[in-house]
Amino acid sequence: MVQQFTLFILYFFAYSFIGWVWETLFEGIKEHRWVNTGFLNGPWQPLYGFAIIGVLLLIQPVQDNWLAIYLIAVVYITVLEYVTSWGMEKLFHARWWDYSSIPGNIHGRVALPISLFWGIGGILLVKFVQPVIAGWVSHTASDYGVFAAILLIAAFMFDFGFTLANMPAFRAATKKLDDAVQAAKAKADDWQNQVETDALPKMNYVQRRLLNNFSSMKLTGRQNSVTELRRVLAQNRSIKK
C-alpha cells in the first residue's frame, strides 16, 4: 500500500509539472512574456496530473490499441476539463479558461479541437513520455521512498491553502477595480485617464498573478472585461507590488 501510494503521488506531481511547463511555454510564447499559468503558485497543474493518471489507468486493458487510447483520452480528459471548469467557477466565481471563440465548444468550457488534441496527446504520452517518466518515478521511489511523496504533498497543500486564503481578497480587489473603471467610464470617453488612483485596490503578488496570467479568464459579476481591468493595473504604477 505504501509503495502504491508513493508511486501514485510521484506520477501525479511529475505530470502536473509537465502540464505546467507545457502551458507556461505555450502562453509565454503567445504573450511574449513570462506567464505562470497555474492556478497555484508552484510549478504544478493538478488538472494534468489527474488527467494523465486517469488515462493511464483506463487504458491498461487496451494498451496496444491506438484507437482505443485515442478515444479514451478524448472522452475522459474532456469530461474532466468540463467538470473542473464548472467546479472552479462555482467555487471562485471566475472562468479560468474560456473556449467560446473556438468552434464546437460547449459552454466555453471544452471545445472539439482541444478535445481532439487531447487524444493525440494521449497516444504520444503512452508511447513516448510514460516510459521515461516511469523510469524516473521508479528511481525516485527506490531512493527516497515515501518521504519524497510526503514532502511534495506538504509543499502542495501549503501552496493550495495560501492561494485559497487569497481568494476572498482577490474577489474584493477585482470588485473595487471594476467599480473604479465603471466610474471612470461614466465620466468621459477617454476613461483610462479618468480612473482615480485612490479608488484602485492594493493587490499583492498572488492577486495580481491570478488576474494577469489567465489570458481568457472571465470574472462573474463584473461589468468590465478582465482585459480592461488589466490595462488599468498596467497604467497605474502606484498600485502596490
Side-chain angles (χ1 to χ4, degrees):
M1 289 293 293
V2 173
Q3 183 181 14
Q4 289 298 316
F5 168 79
T6 300
L7 291 175
F8 177 87
I9 295 301
L10 292 179
Y11 274 122
F12 171 79
F13 280 105
Y15 284 116
S16 294
F17 175 72
I18 290 173
W20 177 84
V21 170
W22 159 254
E23 290 214 353
T24 296
L25 288 176
F26 179 79
E27 287 295 326
I29 293 172
K30 186 172 70 173
E31 297 284 331
H32 303 291
R33 63 184 178 92
W34 165 255
V35 179
N36 178 1
T37 57
F39 173 71
L40 303 176
N41 297 287
W44 33 52
Q45 284 270 25
L47 177 60
Y48 281 84
F50 287 118
I52 297 174
I53 287 176
V55 170
L56 292 175
L57 291 174
L58 290 171
I59 67 167
Q60 286 185 356
V62 293
Q63 293 193 39
D64 296 325
N65 188 326
W66 286 47
L67 179 59
I69 293 173
Y70 181 87
L71 293 176
I72 287 172
V74 167
V75 174
Y76 172 73
I77 297 178
T78 298
V79 171
L80 181 63
E81 187 174 31
Y82 188 97
V83 171
T84 301
S85 172
W86 177 86
M88 291 186 70
E89 184 172 357
K90 294 300 180 182
L91 286 173
F92 306 122
H93 308 287
R95 179 80 64 88
W96 301 97
W97 62 87
D98 184 69
Y99 300 144
S100 296
S101 61
I102 300 177
N105 74 84
I106 302 177
H107 303 144
R109 303 187 191 281
V110 295
L112 182 59
I114 304 296
S115 297
L116 296 178
F117 170 79
W118 293 137
I120 297 173
I123 292 176
L124 295 176
L125 164 75
V126 173
K127 300 300 180 181
F128 302 105
V129 179
Q130 173 59 12
V132 177
I133 298 301
W136 174 84
V137 167
S138 298
H139 176 74
T140 303
S142 62
D143 285 353
Y144 303 103
V146 71
F147 297 105
I150 292 175
L151 182 62
L152 286 169
I153 292 173
F156 179 83
M157 294 306 296
F158 176 82
D159 190 357
F160 186 72
F162 183 70
T163 303
L164 287 186
N166 272 277
M167 291 309 297
F170 175 73
R171 287 286 300 164
T174 56
K175 177 64 168 62
K176 186 175 182 180
L177 181 58
D178 185 64
D179 290 342
V181 171
Q182 196 63 21
K185 283 185 175 182
K187 293 180 180 179
D189 292 334
D190 60 335
W191 61 269
Q192 293 182 58
N193 298 318
Q194 303 296 324
V195 177
E196 296 182 7
T197 302
D198 293 341
L200 296 175
K202 304 297 184 182
M203 302 181 73
N204 63 24
Y205 166 78
V206 175
Q207 295 156 18
R208 287 185 288 109
R209 183 184 66 80
L210 290 173
L211 185 64
N212 287 325
N213 287 355
F214 291 86
S215 59
S216 61
M217 181 173 67
K218 291 184 177 180
L219 295 170
T220 303
R222 301 293 178 262
Q223 302 177 78
N224 302 281
S225 70
V226 171
T227 299
E228 292 174 319
L229 302 185
R230 290 175 183 147
R231 190 177 301 138
V232 170
L233 286 180
Q235 292 181 350
N236 287 269
R237 302 302 181 184
S238 61
I239 294 176
K240 184 179 181 180
K241 297 184 178 182

